[in-house]
Amino acid sequence: MAFPQTRLRRLRASPALRELVRETELRAGQLVAPLFVAESGPPREPIPGMPGVERLSISEAVQEARAAADLGVAAVLLFGIPAEKDAQGSSAWDEEGVVQLCVGALKRELPELLVITDVCLCEYTDHGHCGVLTGDPALSRADSPGVAPAPGVDNDASVELLARVAVSHARAGADVVAPSDMMDGRIGALRAELDGEGFAATPILAYSAKFASAFYGPFRDAAGSAPAFGDRRGYQLDPANGREALRETLLDVEEGADMVMVKPALAYGDLIAAVRRETRLPVAAYNVSGEYAMVKAAAAAGHLDERAAVLEILTSLRRAGADVIITYHAKDAARWLAPN
Ligand SMILES: [Zn+2]
């Protein structure tokens, strides 16, 4: 039956009716707050473009995590900013590294809060790539704009180091490890290494469909992880490729991922929905730094109602199929979602 018998506005007539037929639920318990933990520098240091997000010392990170947990946020996702970088990124698997020490502090102070660790090398390498290089970085430099750069990242050597990083995080007490490097075969390698080292119970949240995106800009300032030459298009996905993103995701599932992720989120709703259809795993969406920065800038200029915009964005990610949302808005959103 069509109009005039069918009138969809009937069910939109009152708040109670709208509440009754609302299809998508957004809860603080579905949100993950990323934290940048710095080994050196001031206790709290603002990040350009990301008002409200700071680089934190370990003790400030614990305070920030406590505030998030008190609001009902499900988990924190840790990124480390080491004092020392080298070609291999060796501080990434240091038992006394900034992430390892922060995990220890968080598990002591807030044992109930889930701690997820980002597993990558780019914050730890002096060249800023997500793995170790095959040759002289100078050889990999793109000579002219438009020429596809070849970062020369050695896949298999990098995977070995990433597995070592994951084990060191698990040993420190991480509840979940989240490899973000996009090397081939890393999920299987991490699973084998974790199992072999006695961490068979540690789940892997795979950054499966991670795109070479323009929306990571503020994060690179925050983590000091901008590549010194070239870019990450030699390992991250081409934003034009949806089918390839599904292949990546299904490979990660086959290799033993416990959860899969689509990153970034806002321009990739089609892939969140596609991954949701193609797998039975929990799906995470990463609402990235540039997406956060856009909302903050527009709100600060008076062009957007920040609260309404953020809740609409996060709800849209849930509607697309995300079970878990990693977002710099986590604390604010949790506060806005709290009953009272
Ligand atoms: Zn990386």
Side-chain angles (χ1 to χ4, degrees), residues 14-36:
S14 71
L17 275 169
R18 293 194 293 271
E19 167 88 24
L20 179 71
V21 300
R22 186 159 297 135
E23 299 174 21
T24 306
E25 190 196 22
L26 177 66
R27 291 184 286 109
Q30 295 156 336
L31 306 178
V32 176
L35 298 180
F36 299 103

Side-chain angles (χ1 to χ4, degrees), residues 120-123 129-130 180-181 210 232:
C120 201
L121 295 173
C122 52
E123 297 112 34
H129 279 289
C130 300
S180 62
D181 52 282
K210 181 179 179 181
R232 299 201 171 106

Side-chain angles (χ1 to χ4, degrees), residues 238-283:
D238 182 337
N241 289 7
R243 291 191 301 271
E244 187 187 358
L246 283 179
R247 286 187 73 194
E248 275 285 5
T249 305
L250 294 175
L251 275 174
D252 285 358
V253 173
E254 225 172 273
E255 289 179 29
D258 298 281
M259 295 181 269
V260 291
M261 188 198 297
V262 176
K263 178 183 182 182
L266 294 193
Y268 298 87
D270 58 328
L271 284 165
I272 297 170
V275 168
R276 172 70 293 150
R277 280 192 304 273
E278 297 282 333
T279 82
R280 297 294 173 267
L281 273 63
V283 176

Side-chain angles (χ1 to χ4, degrees), residues 73-91:
V73 170
V76 292
L77 170 60
L78 300 186
F79 294 90
I81 304 160
E84 304 289 334
K85 301 185 183 217
D86 60 26
Q88 264 76 47
S90 58
S91 53

Side-chain angles (χ1 to χ4, degrees), residues 15-104:
L17 275 169
R18 293 194 293 271
E19 167 88 24
L20 179 71
V21 300
R22 186 159 297 135
E23 299 174 21
T24 306
E25 190 196 22
L26 177 66
R27 291 184 286 109
Q30 295 156 336
L31 306 178
V32 176
L35 298 180
F36 299 103
V37 193
E39 193 170 3
S40 56
R44 282 182 176 263
E45 192 179 355
I47 295 167
M50 299 181 74
V53 181
E54 295 160 302
R55 273 186 287 257
L56 305 166
S57 66
I58 290 176
S59 62
E60 290 300 315
V62 172
Q63 291 316 309
E64 193 65 21
R66 190 190 307 279
D70 286 347
L71 289 163
V73 170
V76 292
L77 170 60
L78 300 186
F79 294 90
I81 304 160
E84 304 289 334
K85 301 185 183 217
D86 60 26
Q88 264 76 47
S90 58
S91 53
W93 60 85
D94 182 350
E95 307 250 314
E96 302 280 296
V98 64
V99 162
Q100 290 80 354
L101 293 179
C102 189
V103 170

